[in-house]
Amino acid sequence: MGLPFRIVLYATNHASAHQVSEAAFGRIAELNAIMSDYEENSELSRLSRTSGTGQAIPVSPDLWRVLERGQKISSESDGAFDVTVGPLVQVWKRARRQRELPEPARLQAALEASGWKKLELDSQRRTARLLVSQMKLDLGGIAKGYALDEAASVIKRSGISRYLVSGGGDMAVGDAPPGAKGWKVEIGLIDATNAPAACFVWLHNAALATSGDTFQRAEINGVRYSHIVNPHTGYGLTNHSVVTVIGPNVFIADPLTKAMSILDPVEGIALARKYRCDVSQLRLPADKVEVFRSPGMEKWCGQVGAPN
């Protein structure tokens, strides 16, 4: 999936720890072979190559779960989250490498090949159909969360309850480490003058996901563009935002961070609360940092476990 995964766990002996971690990494590798858009022969890449053919393609149970959840979040966020943004992502990867804005014609073509309503799912047959040509699915905003949860499930089924599974800054955690009140995680980092201090949360039996442009961005013609692309406009975000979502699993927290990066903060918080998630968002649309937090988020900072 184009990023490193890490597992920390507490077991009774080295042999069992090694066996369980290898099984968890194996599950991640299995899902990578299904959902990676970097791998030419992944199930996802093969599905993308059927775009515009009119074919309804049967998909595996894992890919179906991810596509179904992605489309649900797309519907609820008015397309702010969108697994069909692959053409736009490719255009902006090139733009960031070359430090120049995309050509208007290339950007328009990518927009025409994107749009969550152009992906048709049949729940009866569990098939997917990509309605226009040149579509390219990109699960970068959701597959990682699913893989983290699946790896955590492998560990839990082994009887190990103290673990942390992370990938690209997102994580699923079990019980607290021995003698600790939780897994200590710093959130709220934004590279801006006079930004509010970051806070620490102590997590157990919870999930955390973060999205922002602190590390992935490009400055073109004096404007800072995020790697997160607005599916409606086709442009990388320029409001300099860092979103953290804490919830029951990464499979929901991960896509919510992407949707919230694009939605109005109040709308984003309302969407997150539907999924029993809490949110912290820092934005720098101009010269002043704006802070938005769901009511329950304050309970996380300095506290143990999930808020009531």
Side-chain angles (χ1 to χ4, degrees):
M1 299 180 189
L3 54 93
F5 286 81
R6 176 174 178 248
I7 294 174
V8 180
L9 52 81
Y10 291 84
T12 55
N13 58 73
H14 180 272
S16 63
H18 178 75
Q19 181 180 15
V20 171
S21 62
E22 286 297 297
F25 279 125
R27 179 60 173 146
I28 293 170
E30 178 185 10
L31 293 172
N32 184 71
I34 295 171
M35 302 186 204
S36 173
D37 65 325
Y38 292 89
E39 303 288 341
E40 285 286 324
N41 292 319
S42 72
E43 183 182 359
L44 184 75
S45 295
R46 296 197 307 271
L47 176 59
S48 291
R49 288 196 290 270
T50 69
S51 66
T53 65
Q55 294 177 280
I57 307 299
V59 298
S60 66
D62 287 314
L63 183 55
W64 174 263
R65 292 185 194 105
V66 172
L67 292 177
E68 185 179 48
R69 171 64 60 83
Q71 289 294 86
K72 187 172 189 294
I73 299 296
S74 293
S75 176
E76 293 174 337
S77 66
D78 192 28
F81 179 78
D82 189 347
V83 300
T84 74
V85 294
L88 291 168
V89 171
Q90 294 301 312
V91 165
W92 277 94
K93 281 183 178 178
R94 182 177 184 272
R96 291 199 302 274
R97 285 195 305 269
Q98 299 186 346
R99 303 285 177 177
E100 60 183 29
L101 289 176
E103 299 172 4
R106 187 186 294 268
L107 186 61
Q108 183 60 36
L111 276 168
E112 292 174 0
S114 305
W116 70 277
K117 292 183 180 180
K118 297 170 186 174
L119 170 61
E120 183 181 87
L121 300 183
D122 185 327
S123 59
Q124 295 289 325
R125 297 182 175 87
R126 291 206 167 183
T127 59
R129 186 157 62 115
L130 283 62
L131 300 180
V132 301
S133 62
Q134 304 302 313
M135 291 180 70
K136 182 177 175 62
L137 300 182
D138 185 327
L139 302 181
I142 189 169
K144 173 180 58 177
Y146 183 71
L148 289 171
D149 285 342
E150 287 294 296
S153 293
V154 170
I155 295 170
K156 285 188 287 187
R157 286 196 298 269
S158 76
I160 293 175
S161 64
R162 292 187 170 102
Y163 62 84
L164 178 149
V165 186
S166 66
D170 297 352
M171 62 192 69
V173 305
D175 292 342
K181 56 184 180 179
W183 297 86
K184 187 178 181 182
V185 182
E186 187 177 26
I187 66 168
L189 294 172
I190 188 169
D191 56 332
T193 304
N194 299 321
C199 78
F200 290 92
V201 297
W202 282 264
L203 300 177
H204 66 74
N205 299 307
L208 179 146
T210 299
S211 288
D213 62 353
T214 302
F215 302 108
Q216 297 191 62
R217 65 179 189 265
E219 187 169 312
I220 303 173
N221 299 333
V223 179
R224 174 170 165 170
Y225 293 92
S226 170
H227 72 294
I228 300 173
V229 178
N230 186 331
H232 300 305
T233 66
Y235 276 84
L237 299 182
T238 59
N239 62 5
H240 186 18
S241 171
V242 176
V243 178
T244 300
V245 174
I246 299 176
N249 57 71
V250 204
F251 190 26
I252 186 58
D254 190 16
L256 284 177
T257 62
K258 310 304 184 295
M260 284 204 59
S261 297
I262 293 161
L263 288 171
D264 171 84
V266 175
E267 294 176 351
I269 288 173
L271 176 60
R273 294 305 295 158
K274 285 179 60 176
Y275 288 92
R276 297 184 294 113
C277 293
D278 282 305
V279 181
S280 171
Q281 181 174 21
L282 281 67
R283 301 197 315 166
L284 186 65
D287 298 325
K288 183 180 179 181
V289 176
E290 300 174 346
V291 181
F292 301 89
R293 284 178 175 165
S294 61
M297 196 69 189
E298 297 297 336
K299 299 178 183 178
W300 283 102
C301 294
Q303 298 296 322
V304 183
N308 296 322

